């Protein structure tokens, strides 16, 4: 009978002492857990863009862009996918006459392209309202093929490029698949 009473007292002590410790531990975990990413920061650095897009666009300047994993849920703590899809989207200025030089090549057959679609909200303020965008599926195929051949470590790109020759602007929306 005394041995059972000792077990009951020990359980009561562990419950009374352990409950506050568990509560403090849960509270500290909550305070120290990283916040989910709710907003993307617009980037203006040029080196990553010029490394990936420069070989077929020329030296880019005055860029506003985003680069992010489109499968990232922010605060999701699941097992990461073996494949990641990185979206690089934004606007940049080409050297003087650079857009006209690209759109003027007859082998790409550029035509009116309409405004960029599915532009993230953070970039909309940098999109000129009166831009006259031109697009060429042939140039997209050229740029995507050239990027895959020259930059195998940077993933396999699929992208769409729009040009405004009056402002020497390029809008790029490229998806890199890393396997």
């Amino acid at each position: 009978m005394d041995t059972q009473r000792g077990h009951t007292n020990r359980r009561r002590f562990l419950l009374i002492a352990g409950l506050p410790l568990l509560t403090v531990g849960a509270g500290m975990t909550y305070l120290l857990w990283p916040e989910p990413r709710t907003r993307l920061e617009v980037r203006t650095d040029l080196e990553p863009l010029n490394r990936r897009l420069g070989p077929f666009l020329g030296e880019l300047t005055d860029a506003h862009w985003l680069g992010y994993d489109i499968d990232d849920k922010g605060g999701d703590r699941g097992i990461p996918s073996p494949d990641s899809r990185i979206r690089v989207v934004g606007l940049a200025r080409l050297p003087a006459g650079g857009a006209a030089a690209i759109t003027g090549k007859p082998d790409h057959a550029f035509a009116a392209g309409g405004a960029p679609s599915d532009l993230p909200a953070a970039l909309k303020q940098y999109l000129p309202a009166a831009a006259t965008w031109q697009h060429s599926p042939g140039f997209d195929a050229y740029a995507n093929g050239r990027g895959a051949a020259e930059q195998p470590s940077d993933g396999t790109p699929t992208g769409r490029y729009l040009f405004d020759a009056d402002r020497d602007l390029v809008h790029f929306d490229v998806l890199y698949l890393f396997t």
Side-chain angles (χ1 to χ4, degrees):
M1 188 101 152
D2 285 333
T3 58
Q4 186 171 1
R5 181 167 222 189
H7 287 292
T8 303
N9 287 340
R10 188 176 318 141
R11 287 184 187 138
R12 188 176 298 139
F13 171 77
L14 290 174
L15 181 63
I16 292 170
L19 194 57
L21 287 175
L22 285 174
T23 304
V24 169
M28 291 300 291
T29 301
Y30 176 77
L31 290 173
L32 297 175
W33 197 266
E35 289 294 317
R37 185 186 61 187
T38 57
R39 204 180 80 139
L40 296 171
E41 295 294 323
V42 175
R43 296 177 62 173
T44 58
D45 51 328
L46 298 171
E47 190 276 326
L49 292 180
N50 282 321
R51 183 169 25 96
R52 288 179 176 87
L53 307 178
F56 49 89
L57 291 177
E59 191 74 18
L60 300 173
T61 61
D62 192 29
H64 296 92
W65 62 283
L66 299 171
Y68 60 95
D69 185 345
I70 64 172
D71 298 318
D72 185 14
K73 304 291 190 255
D76 189 33
R77 294 289 181 187
I79 297 173
S81 169
D83 298 330
S84 63
R85 298 181 300 165
I86 306 299
R87 182 181 185 198
V88 178
V89 58
L91 296 137
R93 190 162 308 281
L94 294 165
I102 292 172
T103 59
K105 292 182 180 177
D107 54 331
H108 293 308
F110 276 87
S117 60
D118 194 26
L119 191 67
L123 292 174
K124 288 185 180 181
Q125 65 181 323
Y126 303 107
L127 188 67
T132 307
W133 296 105
Q134 296 180 51
H135 176 251
S136 166
F139 181 82
D140 292 348
Y142 163 74
N144 294 332
R146 182 173 172 148
E150 291 187 2
Q151 306 279 339
S153 64
D154 284 348
T156 304
T158 56
R160 178 177 162 97
Y161 302 86
L162 298 172
F163 295 89
D164 178 12
D166 296 335
R167 292 173 182 78
D168 280 318
L169 288 177
V170 60
H171 167 268
F172 50 89
D173 194 346
V174 185
L175 189 65
Y176 290 92
L177 176 63
F178 295 90
T179 56

